[in-house]
Amino acid sequence: MKIELIPAIDIIDGQCVRLTKGDYAQKTVYGNPLDMAQEFEALGFRRLHVVDLDGAKAKHIVNGQVLHDITTATRLTVDFGGGIKSEEDIELAFQNGASMVTVGSVAVTHPELFLSWVKRYGAERMILGADVRHGKISINGWKEDSKEDLLPFLRRYVEAGVTNVLCTEISKDGTLQGPAIELYRSIMAEYPTLHLIASGGVSCIDDIRALEAAGIPAVVFGKAIYEGKIDLKELISK
């Protein structure tokens, strides 16, 4: 496959978990994050998406040690998000081995601050988190919806030099009901050079093929792995 395949590890209390539609009350625990990361690497994956869900709720990084354990024990390229609200958080993520950080809420609440980070650290190391619910950007661990509409929100940052965007359709996340392909297609039609990472709803290899056919550059997926809906060896061999 040409589409970039990015397995996800979400962390609560040091454990690998998945939520449904971002609801902390709908949590399933799948074990040790480091074990999962090493398994992904052994299968041939090169990239990993790690989300500190405790950090998203606390509004600062909580699981930095888990990140450190993964990046020191594997050669995976790790992008890290969840609770990154300050430059101190960014520095901590990079010190613990992250290659990239995903920032969402700050880009909504303090756009000039986010752009200063893009300038300081480089667009290649910053991923704009654009998580959507009912057409609006959601913030603070998906606890609240902003007044920002998706495409104008993206336009502001693409014009300012942002090149990487992770877009989760929250209503799809953790549901195994298929990704929001039309949403991602509309983004790529507007911004064809964007490195867009689709997230939410992937239930099988055919969903990933459909995203690839729609011209989506990358995909994050998690629950389909943990629930055995995707044969990772088959996926990697495609």
Side-chain angles (χ1 to χ4, degrees), residues 98-175:
S99 297
M100 293 160 279
V101 294
T102 301
V103 179
S105 300
V106 171
V108 175
T109 59
H110 297 88
E112 293 306 318
L113 178 61
F114 175 68
L115 287 173
S116 75
W117 294 344
V118 174
K119 185 175 181 179
R120 174 169 181 177
Y121 296 102
E124 71 282 358
R125 302 192 78 186
M126 303 295 295
I127 301 171
L128 173 63
D131 301 328
V132 185
R133 180 165 45 209
H134 309 306
K136 302 290 185 182
I137 301 294
S138 185
I139 60 174
N140 294 328
W142 301 350
K143 294 299 182 187
E144 53 187 292
D145 296 333
S146 73
K147 296 180 180 179
E148 295 272 5
D149 291 313
L150 175 62
L151 289 180
F153 176 76
L154 293 179
R155 183 176 303 113
R156 175 195 314 161
Y157 288 113
V158 171
E159 290 177 351
V162 169
T163 56
N164 299 296
V165 171
L166 171 68
C167 183
T168 302
E169 170 50 74
I170 296 169
S171 69
K172 296 278 192 178
D173 192 65
T175 65

Side-chain angles (χ1 to χ4, degrees), residues 151-152 154-156 158 186-195:
L151 289 180
L154 293 179
R155 183 176 303 113
R156 175 195 314 161
V158 171
S186 69
I187 294 171
M188 292 307 299
E190 195 81 14
Y191 310 110
T193 62
L194 194 64
H195 188 76

